[in-house]
Amino acid sequence: MPKFYVTTPIYYVNDLPHIGHAYTTILADVLARYHRTLGDEVHFLTGTDEHGLKVQQAAQSRNTDPRAHCDEYVVRFQELWRRLHISNDDFIRTTEKRHTAVVQRLLQALHDKGELYQDEYEGWYSVSEERFITKKELDSGEFRQVEKVKERNWFFRMSAYQERLIEHIQEHPEFIQPETRRNEVLGFLRKPLGDLCISRPKSRLTWGVELPFDPDYVNYVWFDALTNYVSAVGYTEDDKRFKDWWPADVHLIGKDILTTHAVYWPTMLMAAGIPLPRTIFAHGWWLMGEEKMSKSLGNVVRPLDLIDLVGVDPVRYYLMRDMVLGQDASFTPEAFERRYNSDLANDLGNLANRIAKFIRRHFEARVPGLKQPADTTFDEALKTGAEEIVRQVPQLISEMRLHEAIEGIMELVRQVNTYLEQTQPWHQIKADKDLAGNSLYHAAEALRIAAQLLHPVMPNRMEAIRRMIGAEKVSLNDFAWGRLRPGTPLGEGEIPFPRLDTLTAASQAEPPEEQPENVVTFDDFQKVDLRVAEVMAAERVAGTDKLLKLGISLGEEERQIVAGIAQHYEPEQLTGRRIVVVANLQPVKIRGEESRGMLLAAEGKDGKLVLATVDDPEMPAGLRIG
Ligand code: MSP
């Protein structure tokens, strides 16, 4: 039997799972289910990455030991995967003995082969990324919690494998996908590749796998984490099992972790004499609107909220349908609702309903038979359409063109709707009941095939459709036309996709979780655009004694703001002064006057407002304050 071994990244156990993590895991699940449907023997691995400084610190701040902390937190992932109907065959935790033992053996083997050496290293270390960063990265200002670190460490001779890796990538176009990512890696490899620091001194980090040949150090988390892909299938533990599954068919990853997977991992494997995985596939990011989803921006979509609102299958469908594999996609509640209502409620749900209702009403709730000879033009076209997509789906799946496969199946669903408009069984029934039955049979059979093809994406609701139209539960790979048997009773059934009009409103009402109200993150603060502004003109706003209208200059730009300071300042006191404004607030109209920005002030003695002013000549209008 052909084998298919698929993996997801192992997620940081500290993270609160969001829709991005759910995406990779659902994608792996859909691929795993397709391959099972096609008759392959599948091994689907996911898990959690549990060592490293962040975990150690998180445990410390909660006054608990790291192991207990991990045990408590890992459940959030396991529970989510259960709720999302993820069919993983294994869940690996890097703190399990079956994993750490393999990491140590791999380290020892590399050490024995002379692939590891000790050296003094001085560099910039980003605690948040858990890695040393380059001078260029440091200068970019994009890295947080950066410390200068000088220490002795163990290194892996990664540089020795640069040429072999380039050759491998060039000779195996399927190795890194999609092509843009492959080019990115080849670009990266045009510069000399350094060696990889694979240890952390215990003085700085204890929560890790101890180096078997030097107890003063623990293993670098990425080395440890990557090894999960082989430890989980029995490397150095169970040769038969390892040979059965390795090399993996596809490591699914997000584009954020391309270098570790496409450079560190293959060179580690080469050094250890282990074959490389067939494909590393890097998908894009789910953005919230235009921004990357991140906890610090407070804009994460929590999968469980969405599931509670609409059910598991529509979430799975939307994520798979709306991301072109490899590219970024933008999540908005509005797009979700549109997709749901048009594809699932209208096209698919209504169709299933109409067919079941009609058969219940006119054919005693049993699958009607075929009429021979019938007018075959429309029948043939529908059958051909169904057979065509049945042929295409396996190919599209193997090429990772999942959204196209789904779109093709939805095309078949729409074709069934068209077919019913063409044949009009509700008219046929009046003159020729058998002819109407023939049409219903065709519609139901095409729907059965579409539902079966969509089963890996929406396992629960496609099962409901199957029952509704009286299709038997048959063998896995049963896409052949004509399997629906006339005379079979239809199951009871609800509309599997009621329309959804409440999601947008509901999702907007929720405050982000775990953010105490009085705390902002660095990223929150970064969003505020504070500027020095010079007051060019000031006058009272007619009809109120509270508001002043200020014409301000931000250097290159002039604008108006309306401020409630008229009881504290006379207009003429203000002209020519430099104040501080929040420049990126949404414009509003106050008493018919446009106000673009707000000014900074403090409440002084006796409730008097005092403006924050600037008198340093080095701070002209327009300067950004941070
Ligand atoms: N622990 C490492 C991976 C080690 S694998 C040997 C790690 N973990 S993570 O928790 O940060 O998960 C990263 C993965 O989650 C990404 O590679 C991607 O698959 C998924 N996603 C996280 N945020 C995402 C989006 N906003 N959009 C899509 N997927 C993203 O890195």
Side-chain angles (χ1 to χ4, degrees), residues 8-13 15 18-25 48-49 77 221-222 224-229 252-257 260-261 283-287 292-294 323:
T8 73
I10 47 172
Y11 304 102
Y12 289 126
V13 70
D15 285 358
H18 62 63
I19 210 86
H21 306 118
Y23 173 73
T24 317
T25 311
T48 39
D49 191 349
F77 281 97
V221 271
W222 267 104
D224 167 2
L226 288 161
T227 307
N228 92 88
Y229 300 130
L252 292 174
I253 58 168
K255 64 179 184 182
D256 48 331
I257 53 177
T260 47
H261 280 78
H283 63 70
W285 277 336
W286 276 100
L287 307 174
K292 178 158 192 229
M293 209 179 285
S294 87
M323 181 176 269

Side-chain angles (χ1 to χ4, degrees), residues 148-412:
K148 185 144 201 197
V149 169
K150 179 175 180 181
E151 62 194 17
R152 264 187 101 63
N153 263 313
W154 283 90
F155 288 81
F156 159 50
R157 297 186 197 282
M158 184 161 75
S159 57
Y161 294 92
Q162 178 164 13
E163 283 314 309
R164 259 182 75 187
L165 179 59
I166 294 173
E167 267 166 40
H168 185 88
I169 298 172
Q170 280 166 344
E171 281 164 19
H172 299 85
E174 75 290 355
F175 181 52
I176 301 170
Q177 293 185 47
E179 207 185 331
T180 46
R181 300 294 163 220
R182 177 169 179 261
N183 294 337
E184 201 176 304
V185 175
L186 284 172
F188 178 83
L189 289 170
R190 267 196 288 274
K191 284 169 273 159
L193 186 62
D195 287 344
L196 182 67
C197 177
I198 55 119
S199 67
R200 297 289 179 264
K202 278 202 186 154
S203 55
R204 209 144 61 73
L205 170 71
T206 51
W207 187 238
V209 180
E210 188 179 284
L211 300 190
F213 43 84
D214 191 341
D216 290 341
Y217 293 88
V218 294
N219 190 205
Y220 167 47
V221 271
W222 267 104
F223 187 103
D224 167 2
L226 288 161
T227 307
N228 92 88
Y229 300 130
V230 293
S231 68
V233 289
Y235 178 61
T236 67
E237 290 276 351
D238 181 342
D239 286 351
K240 162 139 189 353
R241 190 168 134 76
F242 185 62
K243 276 219 188 70
D244 275 352
W245 292 115
W246 192 260
D249 291 273
V250 54
H251 290 323
L252 292 174
I253 58 168
K255 64 179 184 182
D256 48 331
I257 53 177
L258 184 64
T259 310
T260 47
H261 280 78
V263 179
Y264 298 4
W265 181 226
T267 52
M268 283 164 62
L269 291 169
M270 282 173 175
I274 305 172
L276 305 194
R278 274 192 204 101
T279 294
I280 296 162
F281 191 99
H283 63 70
W285 277 336
W286 276 100
L287 307 174
M288 273 308 280
E290 303 288 311
E291 280 172 330
K292 178 158 192 229
M293 209 179 285
S294 87
K295 198 170 161 189
S296 53
L297 290 180
N299 66 353
V300 293
V301 176
R302 282 170 300 157
L304 286 178
D305 292 349
L306 212 52
I307 298 172
D308 288 342
L309 212 56
V310 299
V312 173
D313 282 3
V315 174
R316 294 173 56 112
Y317 178 81
Y318 172 77
L319 292 179
M320 294 302 107
R321 173 61 188 80
D322 267 37
M323 181 176 269
V324 176
L325 257 176
Q327 297 173 17
D328 289 347
S330 164
F331 185 98
T332 64
E334 294 78 10
F336 181 91
E337 190 171 312
R338 258 199 313 277
R339 177 63 76 190
Y340 176 100
N341 282 338
S342 76
D343 286 16
L344 300 182
N346 289 354
D347 291 348
L348 186 56
N350 278 351
L351 176 67
N353 257 346
R354 269 165 92 191
I355 293 175
K357 255 196 207 144
F358 197 89
I359 298 179
R360 284 185 192 134
R361 178 127 153 247
H362 298 285
F363 298 91
E364 286 121 37
R366 284 175 187 276
V367 176
L370 292 165
K371 177 176 161 128
Q372 311 232 315
D375 171 13
T376 55
T377 349
F378 297 136
D379 296 358
E380 273 307 313
L382 185 62
K383 180 167 176 249
T384 312
E387 284 169 346
E388 187 56 31
I389 186 67
V390 166
R391 246 196 316 280
Q392 285 170 4
V393 165
Q395 183 64 26
L396 291 170
I397 295 295
S398 72
E399 291 168 10
M400 302 287 284
R401 287 153 69 194
L402 187 55
H403 69 283
E404 286 176 58
I406 297 175
E407 184 45 29
I409 304 166
M410 288 312 292
E411 195 51 53
L412 173 62

